[in-house]
Amino acid sequence: QVQLVESGGGLVQPGGSLRLSCAASGSLFSLNAMGWYRQAPGKARDLVATITSDGRTNYADSVKGRFIISRDNAKNTVYLQMNSLKPEDTAVYYCNVLGGYRGNYYPGQSWGQGTQVTVSS
């Protein structure tokens, strides 16, 4: 079972930047697509960025052009660089292994604790 540990969240002003990290256990990390999800209070958990095992990326329209997902397979880590942050980006951010395929991804069964991102002046 994959274990996921997210970090890097915090309080940032609108227009600011944060870089989230997600460390994953398991020797098969490099073979899996990975994704970042976020969940705002009272809302569903949404997939905002994905990266395939060979580095192809995709983004939700709400973050396209502002967020960048990347991965370091040697470190079993996936990152989310978040720029030009807006108050509506406030949420708990989670990463997960992805099954399925682009346009029809689903998350793995295990979730980490997430990391809180708050965008406020």
Side-chain angles (χ1 to χ4, degrees):
Q1 190 170 355
V2 176
Q3 292 186 324
L4 303 157
V5 179
E6 301 93 345
S7 62
L11 173 64
V12 63
Q13 292 186 341
S17 297
L18 282 175
R19 189 193 194 204
L20 307 183
S21 298
C22 169
S25 66
S27 60
L28 301 180
F29 173 84
S30 63
L31 301 179
N32 291 301
M34 297 293 295
W36 280 98
Y37 291 77
R38 69 184 181 186
Q39 187 169 22
K43 296 190 176 181
R45 191 170 297 184
D46 294 327
L47 182 61
V48 296
T50 66
I51 186 167
T52 64
S53 58
D54 60 354
R56 288 171 290 154
T57 60
N58 198 42
Y59 301 92
D61 287 343
S62 57
V63 307
K64 197 172 294 183
R66 300 187 298 121
F67 289 11
I68 301 172
I69 187 172
S70 61
R71 65 191 298 161
D72 184 339
N73 289 337
K75 296 182 178 180
N76 274 21
T77 301
V78 61
Y79 304 98
L80 188 67
Q81 177 67 43
M82 305 188 296
N83 302 318
S84 302
L85 282 161
K86 305 175 181 179
E88 50 264 43
D89 295 318
T90 296
V92 179
Y93 284 73
Y94 303 86
C95 68
N96 213 327
V97 175
L98 298 177
Y101 50 88
R102 180 176 173 174
N104 196 26
Y105 281 127
Y106 57 88
Q109 293 184 340
S110 298
W111 293 93
Q113 82 289 347
T115 186
Q116 175 71 48
V117 172
T118 303
V119 185
S120 175
S121 54

